[in-house]
Amino acid sequence: MFNYSVATKFYLLEIQKKQVEKVQKMIEDEEIRCLRKEMVPKAQLMPFFDRPFFPQRSNRPLTIPREPSFRTVNSKCWSCISENELYYFHLAHAWNPIK
């Protein structure tokens, strides 16, 4: 009997909480609707076309190209490891217990 009364109390509290949340959501939606009605759209300023645009050279140095290093093994990138390396990795770690 005690479990039933506790269960009904929790059920009623849950229903009440859902009703309160529903009412709050309806109030917030109504406030948002009113704010959107009151908003005044503002146009963006027109850009100035009377002065021409002159591009300037950047002061940053040029990028120096370099060879990609495909042989580095990244622990996060399993797709970069070749099949032989993966096979030997599997053999080396197959019988080690997980701590």
Side-chain angles (χ1 to χ4, degrees), residues 16 23 25 38 84:
Q16 184 180 5
V23 169
K25 178 125 174 90
E38 293 173 2
N84 280 342

Side-chain angles (χ1 to χ4, degrees), residues 10-72:
F10 279 129
Y11 178 71
L12 292 174
L13 286 174
E14 186 177 326
I15 289 175
Q16 184 180 5
K17 186 191 290 185
K18 285 183 180 180
Q19 288 176 349
V20 169
E21 288 176 358
K22 187 175 182 181
V23 169
Q24 285 179 346
K25 178 125 174 90
M26 287 174 54
I27 292 171
E28 289 175 1
D29 289 343
E30 187 65 31
E31 288 177 357
I32 290 172
R33 192 176 300 117
C34 290
L35 287 174
R36 287 186 177 156
K37 284 183 181 179
E38 293 173 2
M39 282 178 45
V40 177
K42 296 182 180 178
Q44 293 183 352
L45 296 174
M46 284 289 293
F48 293 108
F49 291 111
D50 57 346
R51 50 182 187 236
F53 173 71
F54 296 111
Q56 296 178 352
R57 186 171 286 278
S58 175
N59 294 333
R60 292 174 41 189
L62 294 174
T63 305
I64 301 171
R66 60 180 180 173
E67 284 285 325
S69 56
F70 294 116
R71 291 294 176 192
T72 59

